[in-house]
C-alpha cells in the first residue's frame, strides 16, 4: 500500500467508524492526542481531541439514523480529502440531508490535522423550522426570495 492510498484509507476508515458505527475509540486509535479539527464549530474554531469527541456526541444526540456516505476522495502525499453526504433524522422525525468535505494530514497512519467544510446552514434549515430556506440570501441581500 503506498502512502497516498494509506492517507485516504485512514480517513475513510475513521469517518465510517466514528459516524456509521458509533465507535468513539477510533478517535484515540487514529487521531493523534494533540491533533486538531477545524471547520466544525465555525471556520476559525479549532477543536482539540476532546472537543472533537464532544462535538461527535452533540451531533449524535441531535440526529438519529445517521448514514455518512463517502462520495469520492483524492490523495496527494500525506493529505487526503473526501466529499461526503450525511443523511439522518431529527428526534421530531424531520429528514436531514447535506454534504461536505473533510481534508486530513496523515502521519504514521494517524490523523494529525483535519479541516471540514460541511453545509451546516442547509442542515440548520432542515433541522429547525424557524430557519427560513432562503436564510443565506437574506443575510446577503436583506430580502427574501419567498421560498
Amino acid at each position: 500500500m503506498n502512502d497516498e492510498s494509506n492517507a485516504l484509507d485512514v480517513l475513510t476508515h475513521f469517518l465510517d467508524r466514528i459516524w456509521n458505527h458509533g465507535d468513539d475509540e477510533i478517535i484515540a486509535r487514529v487521531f493523534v492526542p494533540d491533533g486538531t479539527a477545524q471547520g466544525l464549530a465555525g471556520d476559525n474554531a479549532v477543536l482539540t481531541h476532546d472537543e472533537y469527541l464532544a462535538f461527535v456526541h452533540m451531533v449524535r444526540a441531535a440526529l438519529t439514523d445517521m448514514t455518512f456516505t463517502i462520495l469520492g476522495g483524492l490523495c496527494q502525499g500525506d493529505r487526503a480529502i473526501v466529499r461526503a453526504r450525511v443523511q439522518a433524522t431529527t428526534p421530531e422525525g424531520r429528514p436531514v440531508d447535506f454534504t461536505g468535505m473533510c481534508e486530513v494530514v496523515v502521519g504514521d497512519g494517524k490523523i494529525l490535522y483535519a479541516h471540514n467544510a460541511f453545509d451546516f446552514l442547509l442542515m440548520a434549515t432542515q433541522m429547525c423550522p424557524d430557519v427560513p430556506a432562503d436564510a443565506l440570501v437574506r443575510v446577503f441581500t436583506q430580502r427574501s426570495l419567498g421560498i
Side-chain angles (χ1 to χ4, degrees):
M1 176 184 303
N2 64 38
D3 290 339
E4 289 186 7
S5 65
N6 187 45
L8 186 58
D9 290 344
V10 168
L11 177 56
T12 57
H13 178 70
F14 177 80
L15 293 171
D16 179 58
R17 296 302 309 168
I18 194 73
W19 295 113
N20 292 327
H21 298 281
D23 180 5
D24 290 351
E25 298 301 316
I26 193 74
I27 295 173
R29 289 192 312 269
V30 178
F31 207 117
V32 296
D34 60 344
T36 58
Q38 190 173 3
L40 295 170
D43 194 48
N44 293 325
V46 177
L47 302 182
T48 65
H49 194 266
D50 292 338
E51 291 167 334
Y52 179 74
L53 180 58
F55 172 82
V56 167
H57 289 171
M58 177 186 70
V59 171
R60 284 193 201 140
L63 297 172
T64 61
D65 303 323
M66 183 183 297
T67 302
F68 193 100
T69 305
I70 303 297
L71 301 173
L74 298 170
C75 285
Q76 185 174 16
D78 63 350
R79 294 179 179 270
I81 188 167
V82 296
R83 192 170 49 91
R85 180 179 186 187
V86 179
Q87 295 171 289
T89 307
T90 67
E92 300 79 21
R94 286 188 291 278
V96 176
D97 189 343
F98 62 99
T99 59
M101 300 177 89
C102 179
E103 176 188 11
V104 296
V105 176
V106 173
D108 294 323
K110 296 195 179 250
I111 296 171
L112 308 174
Y113 168 78
H115 184 87
N116 299 273
F118 281 84
D119 192 347
F120 291 128
L121 180 58
L122 176 59
M123 180 193 74
T125 63
Q126 294 170 355
M127 290 181 70
C128 306
D130 295 339
V131 178
D134 64 346
L136 189 59
V137 171
R138 291 179 188 210
V139 168
F140 288 139
T141 67
Q142 303 300 310
R143 295 185 315 220
S144 172
L145 291 178
I147 57 173

